[in-house]
Amino acid sequence: MTQPPPPPPQQPPQGGGFGPPQDQPPQDQPPQTPPPAAGPNLGKAPEPGYGYPQAPQAPQTPPPAAPQNPPQPPAGYGYPQGAPAPQPPQAPQTPPGYGYPGQQPGPYGQPQQAPYGQPGYGQPGFGQPGYGQQPGYGYPQQPTMPYQPQAGQPGGGKKLNARMLIIVAAVVAIALIIGGGVWYASSGKDEGKQNDTAGQSGGTGGTDDDNGGTTSGKEKAPSDPSAKVLFQVPAPEVKNDSTVVVSGSWLTDKAYVKSGIARIVGYDRDKGGELWKIPLAGPVCQASRHVTDDNLTAVLYQPAMPTKADPSHGCSQIALIDLDAGKRLWTKTVKTGDQLINFDNITLSGKTVAVGSTSGGAAFDVSGKLLWSPKPADSCYDAGYGGGDKLVAVRKCGSYDQRQLHIQTIDPKSGKVISEYKMTEGIEYASIVSTNPLVVAADVGDSAGDGSGISDFFSIDSRTGKLRTRISAPGEQFAARCEGITRVEACNLLAVGNDRLYLPTEEHDGTGKYSQTNEIVAFDLATGKQTGQRADAGDGYTISPLRMDGGNLIAYKRPPYDKGGQVVSISGTGFKETTLLQNPATDAVRDVETSMSPEYSEFLYAEGHLFMSKVYASKRSTVREKEYLAVGFGTS
């Protein structure tokens, strides 16, 4: 559903403000034949290859500067890590069934520790890659993220079947430890307000009521939207040809906060100087995108730094972080018997921190009190949770290929089920796009065909558990993505608000020579039909939803080769577009900007500030290249 980002820039940025940082020390089944919503009406029939990148043929003007992306191995779907242009998947080097999703979890509540030498799999970040052939020692055997197209071939070509993507990724991901993520090669009121990190997905966000709310936005256009580079954070040094997960970023009134290698750092929003630093025993595995009104959030991390001899210590450590004070308030673990449970995902709703895994789910109050934990007698398990305004569990019952998913809105204090919607049997994975209104994405029958994890969206009444409508979103037409395999909140390039679902279309030919463009369209969550609203990116630009701002939609426009990117606000009623920020068009600045795409990086925007950051850190290919963990832009 999404286009891979372009290949890495050939030259490091020169000037343009990119020097060293200024550091300052009841349960209805879906209809048998649900009426699919119409695809986007773009005013013309799709041209050949519609929805796929169109490789330029001997352009007469300089091509776009391409990004420097994280790891080059195949990327798993759902979370953007910088991934290059597509190329056909390579044949697995291990037996096809190795690590395949067909492996069933053990009894509910029992740890699923993989024997030594068995594969681990990819950790969240956007579009995270699975890597190599390195064993993920001590980590649960679970299905991994499907294969993401890789560099080496120009855009175009047939997308892979989703089931094949899962099989390939399960083999490929032998090397990457979920969550902790180091690959070794021989080579955020207490109602759980949504952090601006929702810019990553626009999903699971707080809205004003069960119908999404229609309040006007807080973001106002400046008198001059022209932006400058505020600061940049150099990529951390990585040794041993490894790749380390650095997922997680937040924005408060005082600080831009970003995960580094086994640490979380708060930076001055305007100057980039370090305000505080929280050291961790091991790499961050997962980070909640939600924060409380007093700026508390939660992360999962490893209990120690991985080594070549022991590349994973599991993602067992649950921590509550105070983003204002720069303190870790507590760290908790959950056991089944004598074994620590390794968790796959983490979220926050109200005063509840919830974590899920194939061993089941657990939750803590922000005071550190354990609210619930896996019950060994249960035959089903909470694979993960969506947070924000409400807390929603994806509960899995049955065996692979006979799976039934229960989408449960639960009381975040007691875990009591408030309502439940049972999805059709055979749907193996589902993602929570939004908890209020409740929207779930799934790849029904592996029909998406592109590894996006989405063929349909389900709009559900969270009070009754009844299906409101089902929206068909064919992969060849729409560019949103969800992982859903281990991280049920890992959706991006979409937003929910005004009781509508906002989706970008796939790129298609623009009016200019060799140009590409796309649009954002809206679906009514009550009827499942398109509203007729459309926001055009403009020739040469591609537009992606970041998050809601009251009743308005905040979106990012990725620029053509000779322009800077933009952040725009789109009115929820008339779809009128207002430019909030315009980045410089100089080569040096644009090279860095385009090295981080909305598909494969973390984007946060608020009050004239735009922050982009990587979710992986890896060893630099040459000592001359300048690479950045994060970059901040701001208007005057």
Side-chain angles (χ1 to χ4, degrees):
M1 274 185 155
T2 58
Q3 303 298 332
Q10 300 302 311
Q11 299 296 331
Q14 301 296 328
F18 288 89
Q22 304 175 28
D23 290 333
Q24 313 293 330
Q27 309 66 350
D28 290 353
Q29 296 292 333
Q32 295 299 315
T33 55
N41 180 6
L42 302 177
K44 65 176 183 177
E47 299 177 12
Y50 178 74
Y52 294 86
Q54 307 299 314
Q57 303 297 320
Q60 299 175 359
T61 51
Q68 295 182 0
N69 295 310
Q72 299 307 312
Y77 77 86
Y79 245 165
Q81 303 328 316
Q87 96 177 13
Q90 301 300 316
Q93 301 302 312
T94 51
Y98 197 56
Y100 182 66
Q103 301 179 39
Q104 298 306 313
Y108 184 74
Q110 299 301 318
Q112 304 300 308
Q113 297 290 348
Y116 185 84
Q118 289 217 345
Y121 58 94
Q123 137 76 17
F126 289 110
Q128 144 172 357
Y131 302 107
Q133 301 292 328
Q134 191 71 20
Y137 175 67
Y139 205 76
Q141 301 179 49
Q142 305 184 61
T144 185
M145 291 173 289
Y147 184 87
Q148 179 77 334
Q150 181 171 316
Q153 181 175 328
K158 188 173 182 179
K159 297 182 180 181
L160 298 175
N161 174 273
R163 183 177 294 273
M164 179 59 68
L165 290 168
I166 294 175
I167 296 173
V168 172
V171 176
V172 173
I174 290 175
L176 188 63
I177 294 76
I178 189 164
V182 175
W183 172 58
Y184 290 94
S186 54
S187 52
K189 283 178 221 191
D190 290 332
E191 283 86 90
K193 74 177 182 183
Q194 184 175 4
N195 169 39
D196 284 300
T197 318
Q200 300 164 356
S201 75
T204 61
T207 53
D208 294 338
D209 53 49
D210 282 339
N211 290 324
T214 56
T215 58
S216 60
K218 296 179 180 179
E219 303 293 350
K220 305 302 179 185
S223 57
D224 181 3
S226 299
K228 64 180 181 180
V229 176
L230 298 176
F231 66 89
Q232 64 286 330
V233 179
E237 182 180 358
V238 180
K239 301 177 181 179
N240 302 320
D241 293 326
S242 59
T243 294
V244 185
V245 172
V246 289
S247 178
S249 58
W250 305 266
L251 191 57
T252 74
D253 293 339
K254 300 177 181 179
Y256 168 66
V257 184
K258 175 62 185 167
S259 295
I261 297 180
R263 66 178 190 166
I264 300 173
V265 182
Y267 300 93
D268 182 284
R269 299 197 332 170
D270 294 307
K271 298 180 180 179
E274 287 192 11
L275 301 177
W276 48 260
K277 179 168 57 180
I278 301 172
L280 300 173
V284 170
C285 306
Q286 298 286 335
S288 171
R289 64 185 55 188
H290 306 287
V291 299
T292 65
D293 271 356
D294 50 354
N295 287 326
L296 305 181
T297 194
V299 299
L300 278 170
Y301 68 95
Q302 292 195 59
M305 288 299 294
T307 63
K308 285 187 176 180
D310 195 357
S312 174
H313 299 284
C315 296
S316 59
Q317 310 296 298
I318 308 161
L320 186 72
I321 304 297
D322 186 330
L323 297 173
D324 282 338
K327 294 181 179 179
R328 180 177 52 179
L329 301 182
W330 48 254
T331 295
K332 303 291 182 180
T333 59
V334 181
K335 289 185 176 182
T336 176
D338 294 331
Q339 298 293 322
L340 286 176
I341 296 178
N342 292 316
F343 292 99
D344 304 328
N345 52 76
I346 187 166
T347 196
L348 187 150
S349 179
K351 296 184 178 181
T352 297
V353 176
V355 287
S357 73
T358 54
S359 294
F364 292 85
D365 183 84
V366 292
S367 67
K369 176 185 177 182
L370 179 66
L371 300 176
W372 68 83
S373 60
K375 299 175 178 61
D378 283 353
S379 57
C380 303
Y381 63 94
D382 288 359
Y385 302 93
D389 273 8
K390 299 185 178 182
L391 187 61
V392 177
V394 175
R395 189 165 178 82
K396 291 194 173 187
C397 300
S399 59
Y400 186 76
D401 275 346
Q402 293 183 322
R403 185 83 69 198
Q404 186 169 48
L405 304 183
H406 299 199
I407 308 301
Q408 299 177 333
T409 297
I410 61 180
D411 184 330
K413 294 181 180 179
S414 66
K416 179 182 178 181
V417 176
I418 297 171
S419 68
E420 179 179 72
Y421 170 72
K422 295 181 180 179
M423 302 191 77
T424 303
E425 261 190 42
I427 298 175
E428 181 67 19
Y429 308 109
S431 298
I432 306 298
V433 176
S434 169
T435 62
N436 181 27
L438 179 52
V439 180
V440 173
D443 186 357
V444 180
D446 297 332
S447 59
D450 63 348
S452 66
I454 306 171
S455 66
D456 297 83
F457 292 92
F458 298 79
S459 174
I460 301 167
D461 188 323
S462 62
R463 292 167 294 191
T464 66
K466 292 183 179 180
L467 182 69
R468 299 176 66 198
T469 191
R470 178 170 165 179
I471 299 170
S472 174
E476 70 274 11
Q477 296 183 33
F478 299 101
R481 1 178 17 94
C482 291
E483 190 232 277
I485 295 180
T486 61
R487 297 170 298 123
V488 302
E489 277 190 305
C491 295
N492 70 307
L493 305 180
L494 77 175
V496 173
N498 304 322
D499 206 33
R500 291 168 183 162
L501 170 66
Y502 299 98
L503 297 178
T505 65
E506 285 284 5
E507 291 183 30
H508 56 84
D509 288 343
T511 58
K513 195 172 184 179
Y514 312 122
S515 71
Q516 295 281 290
T517 190
N518 76 327
E519 302 77 25
I520 291 176
V521 296
F523 289 85
D524 190 305
L525 290 175
T527 66
K529 297 179 180 179
Q530 285 195 44
T531 65
Q533 296 168 311
R534 186 179 81 178
D536 295 310
D539 204 41
Y541 290 87
T542 53
I543 190 169
S544 304
L546 292 182
R547 64 174 175 88
M548 296 304 298
D549 173 33
N552 297 336
L553 174 66
I554 303 297
Y556 171 73
K557 288 186 175 183
R558 186 174 175 86
Y561 75 91
D562 58 347
K563 305 288 185 182
Q566 298 177 348
V567 175
V568 298
S569 176
I570 301 169
S571 165
T573 52
F575 251 43
K576 178 183 177 181
E577 183 180 307
T578 302
T579 300
L580 300 177
L581 179 144
Q582 169 71 61
N583 278 340
T586 63
D587 289 345
V589 175
R590 195 177 59 252
D591 284 352
V592 174
E593 178 178 4
T594 56
S595 75
M596 300 186 192
S597 70
E599 295 94 332
Y600 305 101
S601 305
E602 295 174 342
F603 276 50
L604 304 179
Y605 175 83
E607 299 175 333
H609 293 72
L610 173 64
F611 300 94
M612 305 175 178
S613 64
K614 299 285 182 72
V615 292
Y616 285 96
S618 56
K619 188 173 181 179
R620 304 175 191 181
S621 57
T622 73
V623 295
R624 294 178 299 170
E625 290 182 0
K626 291 183 180 179
E627 295 184 8
Y628 301 98
L629 176 65
V631 59
F633 299 92
T635 58
S636 299

